[in-house]
Amino acid sequence: MKRQVKNNVSWIGYIDWELETFHGDDYSILNGSSQNAYLVEEEKTVLIDTVWAPHRFEFLENLKSEIDLNKIDYIIANHGEVDHSGALVELMKEIPNTPVYCTANAVKSLEGQYGKHGWDFHVVKTGDSLDIGNGKKLIFVEMRMLHWPDSMATYLTDDNILFSNDAFGQHYAVEELFNDKADQCLLNKEAMKYYANILNPFSPLVSKKIDEIVGLNLPIDIIAPSHGAIWRENPLQIVEKYAAWSKAYQEDQFTIVYDTMWQGTEKIAHRIAKEAKTVSPDTVVKVFNISKADKNEIMTEVFKSRAIAVGSPTIGNSIMSSMAGWLHFLKSLKFRNKKAAVFGCYGWSGEGNKVLAEELKSAGFDVVEENIKSSWNPEKEDFDQAKGLTEALLK
């Protein structure tokens, strides 16, 4: 059933409690999620986005129970990704002549994914508007690379609602819909995780887009994203967070990430953590074994950190494959203004530290010279180097 957001605007999406992964298996879902679609019923009736394909039939039945589909005058496709457009094909079978408003790139996206069906596309760009009656308009704002080239947001005048699509969202199931009803700790955690793992590579664009939205001088009473809670209580708080997160964000935190074969590298990781509290008592220190911890949760902690230490034993003249995959992911997120150090054990050749340092430099980290390279198992002289390493990172 539809649920009121404000006046004649309703939520008509899907709360996805059972969802465990997203983007294939590349993003972990620990607290459920939602696909948020919205229905605006003024003189004209407008559907803003749909839901993921696995829920398309339930979505359609729900929509039919609330409204005659033939009364939908316009469909807004803010983003062509399948979690927002997955029910569109089935919907358009029922109302094939309904105009679809989207960006030029969204036409490419939708036709590329679902084929060319002759849909009545209306291409819009930033500043274009659509009159929906009762003195209200929809104003479109392109949001390129937040996080696809086809993305846009839609603003409803008079009600002052920004339908922001993937920007300002979270993978977080909130049955009560609104941010003031959500668990605040989980809400903020999931919002940061979403930014760190999905939007951080586009941070320079985020800063520019926030400035552009502010420059439009549009009053915003509600921000309605396509995942997670709808921001109605102090909605600009999430915009302020994005503004801060987009500027090479860091807290006073130090994160140690490692993998180990026979526990030698693990012992060094734990010693580094211990020394870090001596060198910088107020710094938050966290330690993760990448083979046992969730990679997206780790990346959120790296996002918060001003420095990291990364460890792997040498194997096959290189590093462990688990660490190599994690470093590839790290590089793709384009973190900035963070220090790093490396450590690890070796038996025969010892190239691991060099490989780690090179990979971290290519990922944009300032890698310090201090490192710990232990032959076989760490001894006292290896552990004693942990103080110098942490001082180079934290002082």
Side-chain angles (χ1 to χ4, degrees), residues 9 17 25 32 47 90 103 143 156 168 170 195 202-204 210 223 259 295-296 316 321 366 375 377-378 384:
V9 178
W17 290 103
D25 290 325
L47 176 66
E90 293 301 324
T103 65
M143 304 280 277
L156 175 59
F168 312 128
Q170 335 88 47
Y195 188 94
F202 315 113
S203 285
I210 289 174
I223 295 177
D259 205 350
K295 70 176 183 179
N296 302 111
S321 60
D366 176 13
S375 177
N377 277 314
D384 287 345

Side-chain angles (χ1 to χ4, degrees), residues 24-219:
D25 290 325
D26 210 40
Y27 187 105
S28 61
I29 306 291
L30 305 182
N31 295 287
S33 188
S34 64
Q35 296 112 51
N36 300 335
Y38 302 94
L39 194 64
V40 183
E41 298 174 272
E42 298 295 343
E43 291 180 40
K44 299 292 186 179
T45 298
V46 184
L47 176 66
I48 300 177
D49 293 320
T50 67
V51 301
W52 199 8
H55 315 303
R56 63 192 184 280
F57 296 118
E58 184 174 343
F59 172 78
L60 279 179
E61 289 306 310
N62 188 24
L63 193 58
K64 287 178 181 179
S65 71
E66 299 292 347
I67 190 172
D68 179 351
L69 296 185
N70 292 297
K71 290 184 178 180
I72 297 175
D73 296 289
Y74 311 119
I75 296 170
I76 310 300
N78 278 329
H79 178 24
E81 196 170 5
V82 294
D83 50 317
H84 312 296
S85 64
L88 195 54
V89 172
E90 293 301 324
L91 176 62
M92 294 302 284
K93 288 178 181 178
E94 307 250 6
I95 47 173
N97 298 318
T98 306
V100 178
Y101 286 75
C102 63
T103 65
N105 278 324
V107 176
K108 296 178 184 178
S109 171
L110 292 169
E111 290 188 337
Q113 293 177 95
Y114 305 119
K116 295 183 179 181
H117 300 283
W119 294 344
D120 183 15
F121 287 112
H122 290 244
V123 172
V124 296
K125 58 185 184 302
T126 296
D128 288 348
S129 63
L130 177 64
D131 193 325
I132 60 172
N134 295 327
K136 299 182 181 183
K137 292 182 179 180
L138 295 176
I139 300 175
F140 304 106
V141 181
E142 292 174 274
M143 304 280 277
R144 290 182 182 178
M145 297 317 300
L146 301 182
H147 63 120
W148 275 21
D150 69 348
S151 300
M152 73 175 185
T154 300
Y155 176 80
L156 175 59
T157 64
D158 195 52
D159 289 318
N160 303 337
I161 300 175
L162 180 67
F163 300 97
S164 60
N165 199 259
D166 277 334
F168 312 128
Q170 335 88 47
H171 281 303
Y172 177 31
V174 183
E175 185 67 43
E176 298 78 15
L177 290 187
F178 299 103
N179 70 306
D180 51 297
K181 297 292 187 180
D183 180 310
Q184 297 303 297
C185 290
L186 279 179
L187 174 62
N188 291 322
K189 176 182 181 295
E190 293 296 344
M192 178 179 280
K193 177 180 176 180
Y194 190 93
Y195 188 94
N197 285 272
I198 294 177
L199 290 171
N200 191 75
F202 315 113
S203 285
L205 297 175
V206 172
S207 292
K208 291 179 181 178
K209 187 55 62 176
I210 289 174
D211 290 342
E212 182 182 326
I213 292 173
V214 171
L216 293 173
N217 294 315
L218 300 173

